[in-house]
Amino acid sequence: SKNCNRPLAIGIGINGEIDYKNQIVLKSEELLWENVNLKELVERWYYIPTYIDSSINGLVDLESIKHRNKDTDPILIYSYAFPNKVAISIDQNTLRGNRNECGKIDDNRNPCTCISQICELLGIQKIIAYHQIDSQELKEIKRISKLKIEISFCVGGREELARGMAIQAEKLWFNSIYFVLL
């Protein structure tokens, strides 16, 4: 960020499969990467703690900050920027899954059907949509789902994604060995 002179940590959002525990980008078709230890590369270059995650997962932390940790209902976050993945939060914890692919939407299926099935499976009744979803898709999700779903719209773009990753990096930094050593 231009406004940050001394960042605590760097949060990088990647579209692809990530070994979150070891912070390795397993595969990113968007970047044409396979098995890249991005965390290690960035930390060696900048000498600053670095955290890698799926870009959309950073929005979970942003939303929990916006709601001041009052809302512990399960939520699903959808963004047009990432049509093949949604972020899922239960008790304000991001669900990750194998290869950090929890919330992956199958390319061969209708996204509305996938989102509705995820909501039903996990009992999610609240969807936060970044970049306005058109009314046809909204009607389709509500029609398909057996649950009463509340959908909130957030106008935003890359700034919100960057802010979410920054919040995630800061949160992880406070739980890391770097903070303990201060």
Side-chain angles (χ1 to χ4, degrees), residues 82-143:
F82 307 99
N84 296 326
K85 184 170 170 37
V86 294
I88 300 169
S89 171
I90 296 181
D91 293 328
Q92 295 182 340
N93 293 310
T94 305
L95 300 187
R96 299 193 178 283
N98 186 37
R99 300 169 74 95
N100 210 14
E101 289 193 299
C102 183
K104 185 174 181 178
I105 296 175
D106 188 355
D107 290 336
N108 301 322
R109 296 183 56 208
N110 178 342
C112 295
T113 303
C114 289
I115 291 171
S116 295
Q117 288 175 342
I118 290 170
C119 288
E120 288 174 26
L121 178 69
L122 299 174
I124 295 172
Q125 296 182 341
K126 185 174 184 181
I127 296 175
I128 299 173
Y130 279 80
H131 307 288
Q132 294 184 355
I133 199 170
D134 73 349
S135 59
Q136 289 303 99
E137 282 184 319
L138 175 62
K139 288 176 187 172
E140 182 72 8
I141 290 171
K142 285 190 172 191
R143 185 187 68 75

Side-chain angles (χ1 to χ4, degrees), residues 1-166:
S1 170
K2 297 174 190 172
N3 302 329
C4 189
N5 293 332
R6 298 182 65 166
L8 298 175
I10 297 172
I12 300 175
I14 299 288
N15 222 3
E17 299 171 19
I18 299 166
D19 176 349
Y20 183 76
K21 185 177 178 182
N22 296 309
Q23 295 282 280
I24 297 172
V25 179
L26 298 172
K27 185 176 183 181
S28 174
E29 291 178 13
E30 188 177 286
L31 299 172
L32 302 174
W33 286 359
E34 280 191 37
N35 298 316
V36 176
N37 193 338
L38 186 59
K39 174 186 174 68
E40 186 176 327
L41 293 170
V42 174
E43 284 184 346
R44 283 183 183 201
W45 185 263
Y46 291 104
Y47 299 106
I48 192 165
T50 303
Y51 302 96
I52 314 297
D53 199 356
S54 293
S55 300
I56 194 168
N57 284 348
L59 292 175
V60 170
D61 288 316
L62 179 61
E63 284 301 322
S64 69
I65 294 291
K66 280 185 183 177
H67 294 102
R68 300 281 180 229
N69 299 322
K70 293 178 188 171
D71 191 0
T72 58
D73 292 339
I75 60 170
L76 181 143
I77 299 176
Y78 175 77
S79 172
Y80 267 131
F82 307 99
N84 296 326
K85 184 170 170 37
V86 294
I88 300 169
S89 171
I90 296 181
D91 293 328
Q92 295 182 340
N93 293 310
T94 305
L95 300 187
R96 299 193 178 283
N98 186 37
R99 300 169 74 95
N100 210 14
E101 289 193 299
C102 183
K104 185 174 181 178
I105 296 175
D106 188 355
D107 290 336
N108 301 322
R109 296 183 56 208
N110 178 342
C112 295
T113 303
C114 289
I115 291 171
S116 295
Q117 288 175 342
I118 290 170
C119 288
E120 288 174 26
L121 178 69
L122 299 174
I124 295 172
Q125 296 182 341
K126 185 174 184 181
I127 296 175
I128 299 173
Y130 279 80
H131 307 288
Q132 294 184 355
I133 199 170
D134 73 349
S135 59
Q136 289 303 99
E137 282 184 319
L138 175 62
K139 288 176 187 172
E140 182 72 8
I141 290 171
K142 285 190 172 191
R143 185 187 68 75
I144 293 171
S145 179
K146 295 174 181 146
L147 300 171
K148 181 182 176 193
I149 294 180
E150 169 196 337
I151 301 180
S152 306
F153 294 102
C154 297
V155 177
R158 296 209 176 271
E159 301 81 30
E160 279 69 27
L161 292 167
R163 195 172 299 122
M165 290 305 301

